[in-house]
Amino acid sequence: MDSVKELLSMRLPVASKLSWLPEAASTTADSVDWIFYFLVWSCVGLFLLVVLPVAWFCLRYRRKHEGQKALSQVDHNVKIEAAWTLLPCIYLAFLFYWGFIGFVDLYTIPVEAKHLRVIGQKWNWTVQYPDDDISVSGQGAIIGIPLGQAIRLTLSSQDVIHSFFVPNFRIKQDVVPGRYSTLWFESTKVGEFPVFCTEYCGDEHSKMLAIIKVMPQDEYKEWLVKKKSENVGLPPAELGQKLYTQKACNACHTVDGTPKIGPSFKGVYGHMTQLEGMSPVKVDDGYIRESILEPQAKIVKGYPPVMPTFKGQLSESDINALIEFIKSLK
Ligand code: CUA
């Protein structure tokens, strides 16, 4: 899915129009839903159990005329007091036990789980497949997953706190810079399930979206093969154009001349650019390369110094392709 607009208009898959929750599509989703529904309905029941008698007492025993005095006052009842202490204790202990079992399930990763690495970065997700030698990234990246296979995610952040949320799988995990967090799931349904960032992380937080595409095993294998061959043999400028969206350069840089968080790429190549506190430089291969790898080395006048480094995320040929792409935007 290339267009973020299309992605933003995507609806969460739901089982039916009356469902409160998005369609459950993982092995742990049903147990999460059961405890959720139990909590909601038991709280509704307890609320009525308290509020209805109070309302009835207010009406039934209200003061009928000025100066009416109470005939007696009861201020202790051991049986009732014991009941309202013990019964909630049992209810809460039961809820705790149930929740804890679910929690342990959610964080006990099956040994046969397939390993993926997830990197959060303003404002897109990169998912690396260490066993298959591919990676996907960019706003609206399609993360292919084989049906019925346990998946273990190791999550880390390039910059600020993000949060990886897949409503249909009922999983959510904060992604914190400087440490790894883990998460696992096993999908039970074929389909496309949106991934959200649920920790406010800046301007384009709401566009930090991706899609988990669950496919049957054989379709998944085909997808892998296609993914591997995708960027082979592309002309550099075309590869650069792809990387421009895949690496989410488009989150900050436009190609039509409008300034965004960073300067536009249109028509900059070969021209002089004004820098903050330095003499102007010519935008050439060396300058673009430095701007990608060490973005804080030179700051273009009028823009904030917020670009993260792409060191280690782009190969030599990727960088060359991006340079060729920028060169082509006359
Ligand atoms: Cu990343 Cu919000």
Side-chain angles (χ1 to χ4, degrees):
M1 203 168 295
D2 280 333
S3 139
V4 178
K5 243 187 213 151
E6 199 181 329
L7 190 67
L8 284 169
S9 66
M10 182 175 174
R11 280 157 199 258
L12 274 180
V14 285
S16 84
K17 274 195 173 161
L18 294 173
S19 313
W20 286 14
L21 300 174
E23 186 179 5
S26 79
T27 48
T28 44
D30 281 333
S31 60
V32 173
D33 291 358
W34 271 106
I35 194 165
F36 171 78
Y37 282 126
F38 176 81
L39 246 170
V40 168
W41 290 119
S42 62
C43 285
V44 168
L46 289 170
F47 175 80
L48 294 178
L49 198 70
V50 172
V51 167
L52 289 182
V54 167
W56 186 73
F57 270 60
C58 286
L59 277 176
R60 175 74 182 75
Y61 300 107
R62 70 187 186 279
R63 191 169 65 169
K64 302 243 167 48
H65 52 83
E66 288 274 340
Q68 184 185 2
K69 292 268 177 330
L71 295 177
S72 72
Q73 282 284 8
V74 181
D75 54 11
H76 272 82
N77 186 314
V78 175
K79 273 184 196 155
I80 293 177
E81 281 168 29
W84 81 46
T85 308
L86 271 175
L87 291 177
C89 271
I90 294 169
Y91 171 77
L92 289 175
F94 171 70
L95 264 185
F96 174 79
Y97 175 75
W98 195 2
F100 187 70
I101 300 263
F103 174 81
V104 169
D105 268 355
L106 279 175
Y107 285 90
T108 311
I109 303 165
V111 276
E112 74 280 5
K114 180 181 173 65
H115 185 212
L116 302 186
R117 288 185 180 277
V118 177
I119 300 154
Q121 177 175 13
K122 291 193 268 182
W123 288 278
N124 72 107
W125 299 104
T126 297
V127 179
Q128 302 171 317
Y129 294 63
D131 306 335
D132 306 309
D133 228 16
I134 61 157
S135 73
V136 295
S137 60
Q139 291 180 345
I142 305 268
I143 306 162
I145 295 291
L147 176 69
Q149 156 103 59
I151 305 286
R152 170 165 67 99
L153 304 175
T154 302
L155 308 109
S156 54
S157 167
Q158 172 85 28
D159 35 45
V160 297
I161 303 177
H162 303 277
S163 186
F164 190 86
F165 180 34
V166 191
N168 293 98
F169 296 164
R170 311 288 191 269
I171 55 167
K172 171 150 72 178
Q173 176 64 51
D174 277 2
V175 183
V176 183
R179 70 153 88 163
Y180 290 115
S181 18
T182 51
L183 200 58
W184 83 277
F185 64 88
E186 184 179 324
S187 53
T188 54
K189 278 174 192 147
V190 168
E192 294 191 346
F193 305 106
V195 177
F196 295 87
C197 176
T198 42
E199 184 65 52
Y200 181 67
C201 55
D203 280 16
E204 305 228 345
H205 155 76
S206 62
K207 291 186 190 162
M208 195 165 161
L209 302 162
I211 300 279
I212 290 189
K213 186 175 182 188
V214 178
M215 298 171 262
Q217 289 281 351
D218 40 344
E219 199 186 314
Y220 171 72
K221 288 208 178 96
E222 278 170 34
W223 178 81
L224 269 187
V225 173
K226 221 178 103 199
K227 205 77 221 163
K228 269 185 200 169
S229 61
E230 219 168 48
N231 292 345
V232 178
L234 270 186
E238 259 177 56
L239 174 60
Q241 184 168 19
K242 270 193 134 168
L243 291 168
Y244 168 73
T245 39
Q246 277 175 9
K247 297 290 172 186
C249 311
N250 59 353
C252 303
H253 302 278
T254 67
V255 291
D256 60 4
T258 3
K260 216 173 168 185
I261 294 156
S264 176
F265 286 165
K266 189 184 162 96
V268 290
Y269 193 88
H271 292 94
M272 301 300 282
T273 186
Q274 301 294 324
L275 297 180
E276 208 69 70
M278 275 186 223
S279 40
V281 289
K282 192 173 168 190
V283 178
D284 57 9
D285 293 14
Y287 169 76
I288 297 176
R289 185 192 165 79
E290 183 189 52
S291 300
I292 293 172
L293 300 178
E294 279 163 51
Q296 313 306 329
K298 297 190 175 76
I299 303 297
V300 177
K301 215 177 202 115
Y303 293 96
V306 292
M307 175 160 162
T309 172
F310 283 79
K311 211 178 247 173
Q313 294 183 54
L314 294 167
S315 66
E316 279 304 311
S317 76
D318 289 348
I319 294 172
N320 291 343
L322 279 167
I323 295 171
E324 287 302 325
F325 172 58
I326 293 170
K327 216 173 179 173
S328 74
L329 299 165
K330 300 240 163 64

